[in-house]
Amino acid sequence: MKKTILVTGGAGFIGSNFVYLLLDKRPEYRVVCVDALTYAANIHTLNKAMESPNFVFYKEDIRNREGIFKIFEIEKPDIVVNFAAESHVDRSIENPGIFLETNILGTQVMMDACRKYGVERFHQVGTDEVYGDLPIDRPDLFFHEDTPIHTSSPYSTSKAAADLLALAYYRTYGLPVTISRCSNNYGPYQFPEKLIPLMINNARHDKKLPVYGEGLNVRDWLYVEDHCEAILLILENGRVGEVYNIGGHNEKANIEIVKIILSELGKPESLITYVTDRKGHDQRYAIDPSKIHAELGWLPKTMFKDGIKLTIKWYLEHTDWMDEVTSGAYLEYYDKMYGNR
Ligand code: NAD
Ligand code: TYD
């Protein structure tokens, strides 16, 4: 009999890439996707998945205990992977409440359902932002799994709380939990409020590219497919109760990325505009992936120089997708966040 894997947040960026990885590489799984379809989701991202007999979609909010329990009752998942979250730091600065509700209480609902109905694994998709930041002038420092939790934004704080709750459910109730903490992802289907797709979209419309502060903050970029493969490895071979960092050695300053995008699109650097910095802006993120490498043999396959080309090509070939997600409410958001910056 096929195993059933329930994926929350599967209509968003990383979740949808994970759904496609499963449908492609693991035909022995049935994939049940649960997503509330917030602003960050696009149901059309899942058009191709909907054609598969191995895929089923539920529009449901992970905060809705009754609705989630009903889905568990019907689908009886063997494995649950929780991607669903409010995921954008800038929005968390504007409105923290929804981050606490979805990212913490929603995770609790998912784990309560796992306890009640029994699963062989609950995997929580976490972020390296729970470790806070590293100084830019100390390239010798990296995040390890035992680096203290030291969050900066309401977003990272809500994700840290969810991680700790997951570890508490493991220790207290014996729920078979694993946690991954990854660095910044990039690739197809990312909502253009995040750095890379926002800059690609603005550049293609000859709009200003808003760089926060001096553009010197560093992120450790991870191609989304590499991330999804790491999660699959953790599900299949990872140790219960463990945290795994995913990422590694693709560090770039924001301004470098913006310049690469302009150069790939043949647009002038005069489109760059330096705007007021983000409040509490984390300086540098950098992952040490030696644990997942040593235990599970994982290393990122995609070098940034190749991944960024693939990503830009994807967005240019999918302008319909981009135009759809940037119509309506997006325009209001953009005006609010960048209008007077
Ligand atoms: P995303 O914002 O693109 O997608 C989130 C998805 O979750 C959307 O489809 C949305 O509709 C859904 N969702 C939101 N609230 C929900 C709710 N209450 N109930 C059900 N569904 C809900 O996010 P992403 O970039 O794909 O991130 C996925 C996960 O990975 C998140 O947990 C995020 O914290 C984590 N993460 C992301 C990055 C990154 O670089 N994108 C890095 C580290 C960790
Ligand atoms: P983002 O994609 O929001 O991811 P995170 O804050 O979770 O790392 O931002 C990545 C970096 O890019 C971060 O240092 C903030 C910066 N940034 C800009 O300079 N301009 C922008 O318009 C955005 C959205 C981000």
Side-chain angles (χ1 to χ4, degrees), residues 3-10 18 22 29-34 62 68-69 71-73 75-84 106-125 166 175-180 231-232 234-236:
K3 276 197 179 175
T4 296
I5 179 162
L6 187 152
V7 176
T8 70
F18 187 69
L22 288 174
Y29 288 130
R30 276 183 74 241
V31 181
V32 175
C33 175
V34 175
I62 61 166
I68 291 295
F69 277 44
I71 294 170
F72 271 69
E73 188 98 44
E75 298 292 346
K76 301 186 174 44
D78 300 287
I79 297 169
V80 173
V81 186
N82 189 31
F83 289 93
T107 301
Q108 184 206 1
V109 168
M110 292 306 301
M111 292 192 298
D112 284 343
C114 289
R115 282 185 64 209
K116 172 156 188 208
Y117 293 95
V119 292
E120 61 187 62
R121 181 70 64 84
F122 173 80
H123 183 78
Q124 175 67 5
V125 179
L175 187 71
V177 165
T178 41
I179 296 174
S180 52
I231 292 176
L232 193 51
I234 295 170
L235 289 178
E236 293 177 342

Coordinates of all heavy atoms in Angstrom, one line a residue, residues 3-10 18 22 29-34 62 68-69 71-73 75-84 106-125 166 175-180 231-232 234-236:
K3 N 2.3 4.9 0.9 CA 2.3 5.7 2.1 C 1.7 7.1 1.7 O 1.8 7.5 0.6 CB 3.8 6.0 2.5 CG 4.3 4.9 3.3 CD 5.6 5.4 4.1 CE 6.1 4.2 4.9 NZ 7.3 4.5 5.6
T4 N 1.1 7.7 2.7 CA 0.5 9.0 2.5 C 1.3 10.1 3.2 O 1.6 9.9 4.4 CB -0.9 9.1 3.0 OG1 -1.7 8.1 2.3 CG2 -1.5 10.4 2.9
I5 N 1.8 11.1 2.5 CA 2.6 12.1 3.0 C 1.7 13.4 2.9 O 1.3 13.8 1.8 CB 3.9 12.2 2.4 CG1 4.8 13.3 2.9 CG2 3.9 12.3 0.9 CD1 6.3 13.2 2.6
L6 N 1.5 14.1 4.1 CA 0.7 15.3 4.1 C 1.7 16.5 4.1 O 2.5 16.6 5.0 CB -0.2 15.3 5.3 CG -1.3 16.4 5.4 CD1 -2.5 15.9 6.1 CD2 -0.7 17.7 6.0
V7 N 1.5 17.4 3.2 CA 2.4 18.5 3.0 C 1.6 19.8 3.3 O 0.6 20.1 2.5 CB 3.0 18.6 1.6 CG1 3.9 19.8 1.4 CG2 3.8 17.3 1.4
T8 N 1.9 20.6 4.3 CA 1.2 21.8 4.5 C 1.9 22.9 3.8 O 3.2 22.9 3.6 CB 1.0 22.2 6.0 OG1 2.3 22.6 6.5 CG2 0.4 21.1 6.8
G9 N 1.2 24.0 3.3 CA 1.9 25.1 2.6 C 2.4 24.7 1.2 O 3.3 25.3 0.7
G10 N 1.8 23.7 0.7 CA 2.2 23.2 -0.6 C 1.9 24.0 -1.8 O 2.3 23.7 -2.9
F18 N 8.5 21.0 -3.3 CA 8.6 19.7 -2.6 C 7.6 18.8 -3.1 O 7.8 17.6 -3.3 CB 8.5 19.9 -1.1 CG 8.8 18.7 -0.3 CD1 10.0 18.1 -0.2 CD2 7.7 18.1 0.4 CE1 10.3 17.0 0.5 CE2 8.0 16.9 1.1 CZ 9.2 16.4 1.2
L22 N 8.3 15.1 -4.9 CA 7.7 13.9 -4.4 C 7.0 13.2 -5.6 O 7.2 12.0 -5.8 CB 6.7 14.1 -3.3 CG 7.2 14.5 -1.9 CD1 6.0 14.8 -1.0 CD2 8.0 13.4 -1.3
Y29 N 4.5 7.3 -2.9 CA 3.8 8.1 -1.9 C 2.5 8.7 -2.6 O 2.5 9.1 -3.7 CB 4.6 9.3 -1.5 CG 5.8 9.0 -0.6 CD1 7.0 9.6 -0.8 CD2 5.6 8.3 0.6 CE1 8.1 9.3 0.0 CE2 6.7 8.0 1.4 CZ 7.9 8.5 1.1 OH 9.0 8.3 2.0
R30 N 1.4 8.8 -1.8 CA 0.3 9.7 -2.1 C 0.6 11.0 -1.4 O 1.0 11.0 -0.3 CB -1.0 9.1 -1.4 CG -1.7 8.1 -2.2 CD -3.0 7.7 -1.4 NE -4.0 8.8 -1.6 CZ -4.5 9.5 -0.6 NH1 -4.2 9.3 0.7 NH2 -5.5 10.3 -0.8
V31 N 0.4 12.1 -2.1 CA 0.7 13.4 -1.6 C -0.6 14.1 -1.3 O -1.4 14.4 -2.2 CB 1.6 14.2 -2.6 CG1 1.9 15.6 -1.9 CG2 2.8 13.4 -2.9
V32 N -0.8 14.5 0.0 CA -2.0 15.3 0.4 C -1.5 16.7 0.7 O -0.7 16.8 1.6 CB -2.7 14.6 1.6 CG1 -3.8 15.5 2.1 CG2 -3.2 13.2 1.3
C33 N -2.0 17.7 0.0 CA -1.5 19.0 0.2 C -2.6 19.8 0.9 O -3.8 19.8 0.6 CB -1.2 19.7 -1.1 SG -0.8 21.4 -1.0
V34 N -2.2 20.5 2.0 CA -3.1 21.3 2.8 C -2.6 22.8 2.8 O -1.5 23.0 3.2 CB -3.2 20.8 4.2 CG1 -4.1 21.8 5.1 CG2 -3.8 19.4 4.3
I62 N -4.2 25.8 8.8 CA -3.6 24.9 9.9 C -4.0 25.4 11.3 O -3.8 24.7 12.3 CB -2.1 24.8 9.8 CG1 -1.3 26.1 9.9 CG2 -1.7 24.1 8.5 CD1 0.2 25.9 10.2
I68 N -8.5 20.5 10.4 CA -7.3 19.7 10.2 C -7.5 18.3 10.7 O -7.1 17.3 10.1 CB -6.1 20.4 11.0 CG1 -5.7 21.7 10.3 CG2 -4.9 19.5 11.1 CD1 -5.1 21.6 8.9
F69 N -8.2 18.2 11.9 CA -8.4 16.8 12.4 C -9.3 16.0 11.4 O -9.1 14.8 11.2 CB -9.1 16.9 13.8 CG -8.1 17.1 14.9 CD1 -7.1 18.0 14.8 CD2 -8.2 16.4 16.1 CE1 -6.2 18.2 15.8 CE2 -7.3 16.6 17.1 CZ -6.3 17.5 17.0
I71 N -9.3 16.2 8.2 CA -8.4 15.8 7.1 C -7.6 14.6 7.5 O -7.5 13.6 6.8 CB -7.5 16.9 6.6 CG1 -8.4 18.0 5.9 CG2 -6.5 16.4 5.6 CD1 -7.6 19.3 5.6
F72 N -7.1 14.6 8.7 CA -6.3 13.5 9.3 C -7.2 12.2 9.3 O -6.8 11.1 9.0 CB -5.8 13.8 10.6 CG -4.4 14.4 10.6 CD1 -4.3 15.7 10.1 CD2 -3.3 13.7 11.1 CE1 -3.0 16.3 10.1 CE2 -2.0 14.3 11.0 CZ -1.9 15.6 10.6
E73 N -8.5 12.4 9.8 CA -9.4 11.3 9.9 C -9.6 10.6 8.5 O -9.6 9.4 8.4 CB -10.8 11.9 10.3 CG -11.8 11.0 10.7 CD -11.9 10.7 12.2 OE1 -11.8 11.7 13.0 OE2 -12.0 9.5 12.6
E75 N -7.6 11.1 5.6 CA -6.4 10.7 4.8 C -5.4 9.8 5.6 O -4.6 9.2 5.0 CB -5.7 12.0 4.4 CG -6.5 12.9 3.5 CD -6.8 12.3 2.1 OE1 -6.1 11.3 1.8 OE2 -7.7 12.8 1.4
K76 N -5.5 9.8 6.9 CA -4.6 9.0 7.7 C -3.1 9.1 7.2 O -2.6 8.1 6.8 CB -5.1 7.6 7.7 CG -6.5 7.4 8.3 CD -6.9 6.0 8.4 CE -8.3 5.9 9.1 NZ -9.3 6.9 8.7
P77 N -2.6 10.3 7.3 CA -1.2 10.4 6.8 C -0.2 9.6 7.6 O -0.3 9.5 8.8 CB -0.9 11.9 6.9 CG -1.9 12.4 8.0 CD -3.1 11.6 7.9
D78 N 0.8 9.1 6.9 CA 1.9 8.4 7.6 C 3.0 9.4 8.0 O 3.7 9.2 9.0 CB 2.6 7.4 6.7 CG 1.6 6.3 6.3 OD1 1.2 5.5 7.1 OD2 1.1 6.4 5.1
I79 N 3.2 10.4 7.2 CA 4.2 11.4 7.4 C 3.6 12.8 7.2 O 2.8 13.0 6.3 CB 5.4 11.2 6.3 CG1 6.0 9.8 6.5 CG2 6.4 12.3 6.4 CD1 6.9 9.4 5.4
V80 N 4.0 13.8 8.0 CA 3.6 15.1 7.8 C 4.8 16.1 7.7 O 5.7 16.0 8.5 CB 2.7 15.5 9.0 CG1 2.3 17.0 9.0 CG2 1.4 14.7 9.1
V81 N 4.7 17.0 6.7 CA 5.8 18.0 6.6 C 5.2 19.3 6.6 O 4.3 19.7 5.8 CB 6.6 17.8 5.3 CG1 7.8 18.8 5.2 CG2 7.1 16.4 5.1
N82 N 5.6 20.1 7.6 CA 4.9 21.4 7.9 C 5.7 22.6 7.3 O 6.6 23.1 7.9 CB 4.7 21.6 9.4 CG 3.8 22.8 9.7 OD1 2.9 23.1 8.9 ND2 4.1 23.5 10.8
F83 N 5.3 23.0 6.1 CA 5.9 24.2 5.4 C 5.0 25.4 5.7 O 5.5 26.5 5.6 CB 5.9 24.0 3.9 CG 6.9 23.0 3.4 CD1 6.5 21.7 3.1 CD2 8.2 23.4 3.1 CE1 7.4 20.8 2.5 CE2 9.1 22.5 2.5 CZ 8.7 21.2 2.3
A84 N 3.7 25.2 6.0 CA 2.8 26.4 6.1 C 3.3 27.3 7.1 O 3.6 27.0 8.3 CB 1.4 25.9 6.4
G106 N -0.6 27.3 14.8 CA -0.8 26.4 13.6 C 0.0 25.1 13.7 O -0.4 24.0 13.5
T107 N 1.3 25.3 14.1 CA 2.2 24.1 14.3 C 1.7 23.2 15.4 O 1.7 22.0 15.3 CB 3.6 24.6 14.5 OG1 4.0 25.4 13.4 CG2 4.6 23.5 14.7
Q108 N 1.2 23.9 16.5 CA 0.6 23.1 17.6 C -0.5 22.2 17.1 O -0.6 21.0 17.4 CB 0.2 24.0 18.7 CG -0.3 23.2 19.9 CD -1.3 24.0 20.8 OE1 -1.6 25.1 20.5 NE2 -1.7 23.4 21.9
V109 N -1.4 22.8 16.3 CA -2.6 22.1 15.8 C -2.1 20.9 15.0 O -2.6 19.8 15.2 CB -3.5 23.0 15.0 CG1 -4.6 22.2 14.2 CG2 -4.2 24.0 15.8
M110 N -1.1 21.1 14.1 CA -0.6 20.0 13.3 C -0.1 18.9 14.2 O -0.3 17.7 13.9 CB 0.4 20.5 12.3 CG 0.0 21.5 11.3 SD -1.4 20.8 10.3 CE -0.7 19.3 9.6
M111 N 0.7 19.3 15.2 CA 1.3 18.2 16.0 C 0.3 17.5 16.9 O 0.4 16.3 17.2 CB 2.4 18.8 16.9 CG 3.6 19.3 16.0 SD 5.1 19.7 17.0 CE 4.5 21.0 18.0
D112 N -0.8 18.3 17.3 CA -1.8 17.6 18.1 C -2.6 16.6 17.2 O -2.9 15.5 17.7 CB -2.8 18.7 18.6 CG -2.3 19.4 19.8 OD1 -1.3 18.9 20.4 OD2 -2.8 20.5 20.2
A113 N -2.8 16.9 16.0 CA -3.4 16.0 15.0 C -2.5 14.8 14.9 O -3.0 13.6 14.9 CB -3.7 16.6 13.7
C114 N -1.2 15.0 14.8 CA -0.2 13.9 14.6 C -0.3 13.0 15.8 O -0.2 11.8 15.7 CB 1.2 14.4 14.4 SG 1.4 15.2 12.8
R115 N -0.4 13.6 17.0 CA -0.5 12.8 18.2 C -1.7 11.9 18.2 O -1.7 10.8 18.6 CB -0.5 13.7 19.5 CG 0.9 14.2 19.8 CD 0.8 15.0 21.1 NE 0.4 14.1 22.3 CZ -0.3 14.5 23.3 NH1 -0.7 15.8 23.4 NH2 -0.6 13.7 24.3
K116 N -2.9 12.6 17.9 CA -4.1 11.9 18.0 C -4.2 10.7 17.1 O -4.7 9.7 17.4 CB -5.3 12.9 17.8 CG -6.6 12.2 17.7 CD -7.8 13.1 18.1 CE -9.0 12.2 18.1 NZ -10.2 12.9 17.8
Y117 N -3.8 11.0 15.8 CA -4.0 10.0 14.8 C -2.8 9.1 14.6 O -2.9 8.0 13.9 CB -4.5 10.6 13.5 CG -5.8 11.3 13.6 CD1 -6.0 12.6 13.9 CD2 -7.0 10.5 13.5 CE1 -7.2 13.2 14.1 CE2 -8.3 11.1 13.7 CZ -8.4 12.4 14.0 OH -9.6 13.0 14.2
G118 N -1.7 9.5 15.1 CA -0.5 8.7 15.0 C 0.2 8.8 13.7 O -0.4 8.6 12.6
V119 N 1.5 9.2 13.7 CA 2.2 9.3 12.4 C 3.6 8.8 12.7 O 4.0 8.7 13.8 CB 2.4 10.8 11.9 CG1 1.1 11.4 11.5 CG2 3.1 11.7 12.9
E120 N 4.3 8.4 11.6 CA 5.6 7.9 11.8 C 6.6 9.0 11.9 O 7.8 8.9 12.4 CB 6.0 6.8 10.8 CG 6.1 7.2 9.4 CD 6.3 6.1 8.4 OE1 5.5 5.2 8.4 OE2 7.3 6.1 7.8
R121 N 6.2 10.2 11.3 CA 7.1 11.4 11.4 C 6.4 12.7 11.2 O 5.5 12.8 10.4 CB 8.2 11.3 10.2 CG 9.2 12.4 10.2 CD 10.1 12.3 11.4 NE 10.9 11.1 11.3 CZ 12.0 11.0 10.6 NH1 12.5 12.1 9.9 NH2 12.7 9.9 10.5
F122 N 6.7 13.7 12.0 CA 6.3 15.1 11.8 C 7.6 15.8 11.6 O 8.5 15.9 12.4 CB 5.6 15.6 13.1 CG 5.3 17.1 12.9 CD1 4.2 17.5 12.2 CD2 6.1 18.0 13.5 CE1 4.0 18.9 12.0 CE2 5.9 19.4 13.4 CZ 4.8 19.8 12.6
H123 N 7.7 16.4 10.4 CA 8.9 17.3 10.1 C 8.5 18.7 10.1 O 7.6 19.2 9.3 CB 9.5 16.9 8.7 CG 10.7 17.6 8.5 ND1 11.9 17.3 9.1 CD2 11.0 18.7 7.7 CE1 12.9 18.2 8.7 NE2 12.3 19.1 7.9
Q124 N 9.2 19.5 10.8 CA 9.0 21.0 10.9 C 10.1 21.7 10.1 O 11.3 21.5 10.3 CB 9.1 21.4 12.4 CG 9.0 22.9 12.6 CD 7.7 23.5 12.2 OE1 6.7 22.8 11.9 NE2 7.6 24.8 12.3
V125 N 9.6 22.5 9.1 CA 10.5 23.2 8.2 C 10.9 24.5 8.9 O 10.0 25.4 9.1 CB 9.9 23.4 6.8 CG1 10.9 24.2 6.0 CG2 9.5 22.1 6.2
A166 N 8.1 21.9 18.9 CA 8.2 20.6 18.3 C 9.2 19.7 19.1 O 8.9 18.5 19.4 CB 8.8 20.7 16.9
L175 N 6.4 12.3 20.3 CA 6.1 12.5 18.9 C 7.4 12.4 18.1 O 8.4 13.1 18.4 CB 5.4 13.9 18.7 CG 4.9 14.1 17.3 CD1 3.6 13.3 17.0 CD2 4.5 15.6 17.1
P176 N 7.4 11.6 17.0 CA 8.6 11.5 16.2 C 8.9 12.7 15.3 O 8.5 12.7 14.2 CB 8.3 10.2 15.4 CG 6.9 10.0 15.4 CD 6.3 10.7 16.6
V177 N 9.6 13.6 15.9 CA 9.8 14.9 15.2 C 11.2 15.0 14.6 O 12.2 14.5 15.2 CB 9.6 16.0 16.3 CG1 10.2 17.4 15.8 CG2 8.2 16.1 16.7
T178 N 11.3 15.6 13.4 CA 12.6 16.1 13.0 C 12.4 17.6 12.6 O 11.3 18.0 12.3 CB 13.2 15.3 11.8 OG1 12.1 15.0 10.9 CG2 13.8 14.0 12.2
I179 N 13.5 18.3 12.6 CA 13.5 19.8 12.3 C 14.6 20.1 11.4 O 15.7 19.6 11.6 CB 13.6 20.6 13.6 CG1 12.5 20.4 14.5 CG2 13.8 22.1 13.2 CD1 12.6 21.1 15.9
S180 N 14.3 20.9 10.3 CA 15.4 21.4 9.5 C 15.4 22.9 9.6 O 14.4 23.5 9.7 CB 15.3 20.9 8.0 OG 14.0 21.2 7.5
I231 N 15.3 17.7 2.6 CA 14.2 17.4 3.5 C 13.8 15.9 3.3 O 13.5 15.1 4.2 CB 13.0 18.3 3.3 CG1 13.3 19.7 3.7 CG2 11.7 17.8 4.0 CD1 12.3 20.8 3.5
L232 N 13.8 15.5 2.0 CA 13.4 14.1 1.7 C 14.4 13.1 2.4 O 14.0 12.1 3.0 CB 13.4 13.9 0.2 CG 12.7 12.6 -0.3 CD1 11.3 12.4 0.2 CD2 12.7 12.7 -1.9
I234 N 16.1 13.7 5.1 CA 15.9 13.7 6.5 C 14.7 12.8 6.9 O 14.7 12.0 7.8 CB 15.7 15.1 7.1 CG1 16.9 15.9 6.9 CG2 15.2 15.1 8.5 CD1 16.8 17.4 7.1
L235 N 13.6 12.9 6.0 CA 12.4 12.1 6.3 C 12.7 10.6 6.2 O 12.3 9.8 7.0 CB 11.3 12.4 5.2 CG 10.6 13.7 5.3 CD1 9.6 13.9 4.2 CD2 9.9 13.9 6.6
E236 N 13.6 10.3 5.3 CA 13.8 8.8 5.0 C 15.0 8.3 5.9 O 14.9 7.1 6.2 CB 14.0 8.6 3.5 CG 12.7 8.9 2.8 CD 12.8 8.8 1.3 OE1 13.9 8.8 0.7 OE2 11.8 8.7 0.6

